[in-house]
């Protein structure tokens, strides 16, 4: 994903502050977003907790899922940011799934909707966090 006319330093707070995360992912976000802290993300069907492993000066953010759905626990979520002209390129990775279960595919699609919400928040000032997000069918 790329964000126009927004430097990495302006993208970084959307990934490293409770208010920033609540603006595009889920309004029910709380916890400690500092390195070593745990962020709690809650959605209508449930949620998960992520330990903040790394927040490098507007270049990289990395979390590890420490509580939530069994398929997620132990996985990592990583964001890498780099400037390319007038654009900030946001590279996203959710890695470490023990197996490719149906829920993984659902989550991949859902992540895409939240990445578009992040892009909208950064470019227009308004994201579509849960519960105002795009709804897709859940495998259950």
């Amino acid at each position: 994903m790329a964000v126009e006319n927004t430097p990495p330093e302006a993208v970084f707070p959307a990934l490293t502050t409770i208010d920033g995360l609540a603006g595009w992912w889920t309004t029910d976000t709380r916890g400690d977003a500092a390195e070593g802290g745990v962020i709690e993300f809650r959605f209508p069907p449930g949620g998960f907790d992520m330990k903040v492993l790394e927040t490098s000066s507007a270049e990289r953010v990395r979390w590890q899922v420490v509580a939530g759905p069994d398929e997620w626990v132990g996985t990592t979520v990583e964001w890498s940011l780099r400037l390319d002209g007038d654009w900030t390129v946001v590279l996203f990775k959710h890695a470490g799934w023990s197996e490719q279960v149906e829920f993984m595919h659902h989550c991949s699609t859902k992540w895409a909707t939240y990445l578009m919400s992040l892009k909208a928040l950064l470019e227009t000032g308004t994201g579509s966090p849960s519960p105002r997000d795009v709804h897709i069918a859940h495998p259950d």
Side-chain angles (χ1 to χ4, degrees), residues 2-139:
V3 184
E4 190 172 16
N5 297 319
T6 308
E9 296 78 18
V11 175
F12 197 64
L15 302 173
T16 59
T17 67
I18 300 301
D19 287 343
L21 292 161
W24 64 269
W25 198 3
T26 178
T27 58
D28 192 357
T29 299
R30 58 186 171 273
D32 180 0
E35 201 165 303
V38 174
I39 308 170
E40 301 171 8
F41 299 97
R42 298 297 179 262
F43 299 82
F48 41 85
D49 299 348
M50 295 203 190
K51 182 175 182 179
V52 180
L53 300 178
E54 182 179 354
T55 55
S56 299
S57 61
E59 295 173 3
R60 185 170 149 159
V61 176
R62 195 164 57 98
W63 306 322
Q64 181 176 36
V65 181
V66 294
D70 290 342
E71 298 92 344
W72 276 51
V73 174
T75 63
T76 58
V77 173
E78 183 176 320
W79 310 87
S80 297
L81 309 175
R82 69 175 166 78
L83 191 60
D84 186 1
D86 292 335
W87 297 80
T88 292
V89 176
V90 179
L91 299 176
F92 168 81
K93 178 171 42 173
H94 186 174
W97 291 78
S98 61
E99 58 184 308
Q100 293 188 7
V101 295
E102 185 176 329
F103 186 48
M104 183 188 81
H105 300 289
H106 165 81
C107 293
S108 294
T109 301
K110 195 61 186 170
W111 272 120
T113 68
Y114 287 123
L115 289 171
M116 295 310 296
S117 175
L118 172 61
K119 181 178 174 65
L121 175 67
L122 295 167
E123 291 181 349
T124 71
T126 304
S128 298
S130 175
R132 300 186 318 270
D133 58 318
V134 173
H135 293 276
I136 59 176
H138 189 275

